[in-house]
Amino acid sequence: MAAITFDGVTKIFAGKPAVDSLSLHIDDGEFMVLVGPSGCGKTTALRMLAGLEEITTGRLLIGDQVVNNVLPKDRDVAMVFQNYALYPHMSVAQNMGFALKIRGESKDVIRSKVSDAAEILRLTDYLDRRPRALSGGQRQRVAMGRAIVRSPQAFLMDEPLSNLDAKLRVEMRLEIARIQRLLGVATLYVTHDQVEAMTMGDRVAVMRDGQLQQVARPQDLYDRPANDFVAGFIGSPPMNLLRAGVARDGDVTLSIAGQSVTLPERLASPYHLANGEVTFGIRPEDIVVGATGLRARVERCEALGAETLVHLSLNAKGASQHLVAKAGPRTTIVAGDDLAVTFALEHAHFFDVTSGATLRVGS
Amino acid sequence: MKTRRSVSPGRIALFVTMLAIAVAMLYPFWVMITDSLHTQSQFISGSGFSLGSWRQLSAALPVGRQVLNSTLICTVSIFVILAVGLPAGFAFAKLRFRASSLVFLGVVSAMMVPLQAIVMPEFVNITRIGLTSGYFGAVLVYAALGTPFSIFLFTTYFRGVPDELVEAGIVDGLGYVGALWRLVVPIAVPAIATVTVLQFIQIWDDLLVGLLFIQNTADRPITVGLAALASGRTTSIPQLMAGSFVSALPAMLVYLGFQRYLVKGLTMGIDR
């Protein structure tokens, strides 16, 4: 087992950087989730670690060894693919023991390791079956089994749950996290699903356009996003990002869609807020619907059972901005209602309009 | 409860058409078998039954030896075609290298060149390097003619194999050669069967290459033997029919044996 370090790693495809100067350290035993939208470079980063893509510049280390020019077979990493990539002509046991067989392990060792892994993954009854005779969840577990029998230095997982239905995905999410903690192997897990990122990772790295945006513990990522992209990507529904005017005179007056909100000095002080414009961020659960506050019209409601998402339009003096608030499950709010909303400003965020970076002091 | 398919006029027309095609295809075999069971005089008179032509055939031709020659030539040629076609198809389908599309186009365009167009230059070449005495010259020519098609077929087939399967093998500790032989070839049986059957039939039935490139009469295949039989001053039709049946039988058996893979191999890609 070993730590993994991306040290300024860049990958250029057709003259454009798919991964741009990525620096990321994954501790031994840590579960790191790499998350971002399609095409952000997360899978390319994973494939470079596996040795399936060459590195254009930078250094990639597994433990203390630079592996830029080390062949995949000599890196001692195990990978779980999105479509599992099970060998269709082999049984489950043969699939799981294949890497050990290539390594020249004895039949007894292979049998014993496969049997142990099958027990952890609850696959003992399926060892003689071919992959085509298994369900999606079972195939996924076989793919996991193929990785864990090797006792590798690191696990690499490329969206391994994306082919499963919603219920199974939740089950396997817990299962993978359980097995990773049991084995304590450094893991790089790639996903575009922010729920997987938040629930599985010890830390989460957010990528966009090949560049790392922020690395933090899931709750820190949620509470203190480094920029408006992370703020909008993490959280479901995402943070509301509204254009706001700032007028500073002791307290701060925010002008949102032609309406004013006063931000007390004690809440404004953690941010660099100067007169001008900022991006004001507020999460849906931090919006309170009541009798007083900013005037808003309900555009539509989405009842999700446990809660209701209320889509609102803030309108005044010809300006209009859209936001989403959360209401209780049995709310009486309906589309077309005119409401007043207030913000829990102690949870508000402010970002630079141009760069998108947080205006929090010390960030 | 079983439900009976309705017998529509369209289905009847289809059945009749298929029956007519089957009769047209099988009729030559019927003629071959029935005519071989006559003597020459019975054949002319149109009645009688005799196994005489079969006995004469084995006296006139070294049938066993020539069938063995054909089998050897086919087997070795197909082995060479597969040994070249499988790695080349894998490389074109799965590896990224400079100008691969152009090279692939060049290889595939070789399929368009008819044997007759290159047979004389090939003959000169093979004669110059002294390979016309045994089987080897013919094997080389057959391999050269069959390889472009096999590369085309394997490339198409391997493009349908997920890249992740190969990559999983690479991460598990295989090289590209290991991934080809241990992961890809075992699931390429339909493509291998297709190449084998089509090349077997083509090589087994060929006369020209055997006639030109195998100068030693003892090494000649069955098709050349039958041609010699037909070119005598008097030709015994029943004897020729018996020889033709012996010649056609292996190709039919190979076809029937691999038929289910052949359909899969030729229709691959349609269901994706």
Side-chain angles (χ1 to χ4, degrees):
Chain A
M1 289 181 280
I4 296 163
T5 307
F6 289 85
D7 180 15
V9 170
T10 297
K11 174 70 188 179
I12 308 278
F13 277 130
K16 287 185 179 174
V19 174
D20 193 358
S21 301
L22 175 66
S23 291
L24 178 67
H25 180 80
I26 304 159
D27 286 329
D28 188 10
E30 186 179 25
F31 196 129
M32 174 70 78
V33 177
L34 204 50
V35 69
S38 294
C40 71
K42 55 191 188 297
T43 296
T44 306
L46 187 85
R47 289 171 60 83
M48 284 193 284
L49 179 54
L52 298 172
E53 296 286 353
E54 284 182 16
I55 296 164
T56 310
T57 58
R59 292 189 319 149
L60 186 48
L61 294 94
I62 298 177
D64 297 327
Q65 190 193 6
V66 177
V67 295
N68 288 36
N69 298 314
V70 175
L71 288 173
K73 67 188 177 76
D74 299 324
R75 294 191 182 198
D76 195 17
V77 295
M79 186 159 170
V80 180
F81 291 84
Q82 185 173 1
N83 63 4
Y84 319 132
L86 301 180
Y87 310 131
H89 57 295
M90 296 183 195
S91 68
V92 168
Q94 287 169 328
N95 261 283
M96 287 167 68
F98 188 63
L100 302 178
K101 191 176 167 188
I102 293 169
R103 210 191 278 172
E105 300 273 10
S106 73
K107 282 184 179 173
D108 288 341
V109 171
I110 295 173
R111 200 175 302 126
S112 151
K113 286 191 174 180
V114 167
S115 165
D116 291 348
E119 209 160 295
I120 292 171
L121 292 157
R122 297 190 280 272
L123 282 170
T124 309
D125 294 339
Y126 305 100
L127 286 175
D128 294 329
R129 288 199 192 173
R130 291 281 171 93
R132 66 172 175 271
L134 300 175
S135 68
Q138 287 164 345
R139 285 180 200 185
Q140 212 285 329
R141 291 212 295 273
V142 176
M144 281 292 295
R146 203 166 61 180
I148 68 178
V149 291
R150 293 178 50 185
S151 310
Q153 303 240 48
F155 287 137
L156 316 181
M157 302 192 193
D158 186 9
E159 309 211 23
L161 304 183
S162 59
N163 287 349
L164 302 179
D165 63 49
K167 184 169 177 283
L168 205 52
R169 205 179 301 165
V170 174
E171 279 174 28
M172 288 310 298
R173 218 158 65 192
L174 297 169
E175 188 78 359
I176 290 175
R178 176 182 74 85
I179 291 164
Q180 196 274 341
R181 280 177 181 86
L182 186 73
L183 302 173
V185 175
T187 300
L188 185 59
Y189 184 104
V190 161
T191 181
H192 64 270
D193 182 340
Q194 53 98 14
V195 177
E196 276 175 30
M198 293 293 283
T199 53
M200 297 175 80
D202 293 324
R203 284 192 300 155
V204 178
V206 184
M207 285 187 75
R208 178 201 195 187
D209 295 338
Q211 292 185 330
L212 186 63
Q213 303 291 306
Q214 188 175 5
V215 189
R217 295 185 179 283
Q219 196 60 46
D220 292 341
L221 213 58
Y222 191 80
D223 291 338
R224 299 165 76 94
N227 56 37
D228 56 357
F229 174 77
V230 176
F233 192 79
I234 300 293
S236 179
M239 182 186 287
N240 296 293
L241 297 169
L242 309 172
R243 186 63 69 92
V246 175
R248 183 139 211 177
D249 180 17
D251 287 346
V252 171
T253 303
L254 299 171
S255 172
I256 301 169
Q259 304 181 63
S260 295
V261 178
T262 303
L263 184 69
E265 173 58 29
R266 68 179 176 83
L267 297 181
S269 59
Y271 294 93
H272 293 291
L273 291 176
N275 289 340
E277 281 207 316
V278 295
T279 301
F280 169 73
I282 188 84
R283 295 217 178 263
E285 62 270 28
D286 296 324
I287 299 173
V288 183
V289 178
T292 57
L294 304 186
R295 292 181 304 283
R297 170 156 288 185
V298 179
E299 289 179 338
R300 67 176 196 278
C301 290
E302 292 176 312
L304 303 179
E307 63 191 12
T308 303
L309 300 183
V310 183
H311 293 257
L312 298 160
S313 174
L314 290 174
N315 283 301
K317 297 177 187 169
S320 172
Q321 296 210 53
H322 175 264
L323 74 162
V324 179
K326 279 184 182 175
R330 278 166 281 276
T331 181
T332 55
I333 298 170
V334 291
D337 283 357
D338 285 316
L339 305 172
V341 295
T342 51
F343 302 131
L345 291 170
E346 63 275 25
H347 300 305
H349 301 262
F350 297 92
F351 304 99
D352 185 86
V353 171
T354 316
S355 68
T358 182
L359 296 174
R360 187 181 288 274
V361 175
S363 290
Chain B
M1 201 176 84
K2 280 186 179 175
T3 54
R4 288 188 64 185
R5 279 182 161 182
S6 60
V7 183
S8 64
R11 287 187 67 80
I12 293 171
L14 179 69
F15 180 76
V16 171
T17 310
M18 299 305 282
L19 192 68
I21 293 170
V23 168
M25 293 288 178
L26 291 173
Y27 182 69
F29 288 96
W30 171 251
V31 169
M32 210 153 55
I33 294 165
T34 53
D35 283 358
S36 73
L37 298 173
H38 292 113
T39 58
Q40 179 68 4
S41 55
Q42 286 170 342
F43 171 73
I44 293 165
S45 69
S47 63
F49 172 83
S50 170
L51 290 172
S53 61
W54 286 86
R55 280 192 292 271
Q56 287 163 10
L57 175 70
S58 52
L61 272 185
V63 178
R65 174 65 199 254
Q66 291 188 340
V67 167
L68 183 70
N69 290 344
S70 286
T71 309
L72 275 173
I73 292 166
C74 276
T75 308
V76 179
S77 301
I78 290 169
F79 177 80
V80 175
I81 288 168
L82 293 177
V84 176
L86 282 165
F90 180 76
F92 283 124
K94 295 292 170 207
L95 306 184
R96 279 175 281 177
F97 56 94
R98 203 177 287 268
S100 66
S101 304
L102 205 65
V103 178
F104 180 66
L105 198 69
V107 169
V108 170
S109 59
M111 278 168 40
M112 315 299 166
V113 181
L115 164 65
Q116 290 77 2
I118 54 165
V119 75
M120 286 323 292
E122 283 290 14
F123 179 72
V124 172
N125 275 335
I126 299 286
T127 308
R128 272 187 190 152
I129 53 177
L131 289 176
T132 49
S133 57
Y135 307 119
F136 203 64
V139 165
L140 278 185
V141 174
Y142 285 131
L145 290 170
T147 301
F149 170 72
S150 78
I151 291 174
F152 171 71
L153 198 90
F154 287 134
T155 303
T156 311
Y157 191 86
F158 293 156
R159 279 181 181 157
V161 173
D163 289 348
E164 288 88 344
L165 189 76
V166 176
E167 289 172 349
I170 302 279
V171 174
D172 267 352
L174 291 174
Y176 281 114
V177 175
L180 168 64
W181 295 114
R182 297 176 78 164
L183 301 180
V184 178
V185 166
I187 60 172
V189 173
I192 293 170
T194 305
V195 168
T196 303
V197 173
L198 296 181
Q199 292 302 321
F200 186 92
I201 292 170
Q202 198 168 334
I203 297 168
W204 187 276
D205 290 349
D206 180 72
L207 171 66
L208 187 60
V209 173
L211 200 60
L212 276 176
F213 292 86
I214 303 174
Q215 300 291 318
N216 188 353
T217 48
D219 293 332
R220 286 185 156 174
I222 184 75
T223 44
V224 177
L226 285 175
L229 205 63
S231 62
R233 190 175 296 179
T234 55
T235 302
S236 165
I237 299 295
Q239 204 177 314
L240 197 59
M241 291 298 156
S244 299
F245 185 73
V246 170
S247 166
L249 202 58
M252 282 193 295
L253 291 177
V254 167
Y255 173 77
L256 291 173
F258 285 91
Q259 187 196 20
R260 66 193 176 105
Y261 297 113
L262 188 69
V263 173
K264 221 191 242 182
L266 289 175
T267 57
M268 65 200 178
I270 289 173
D271 57 349
R272 275 197 293 275

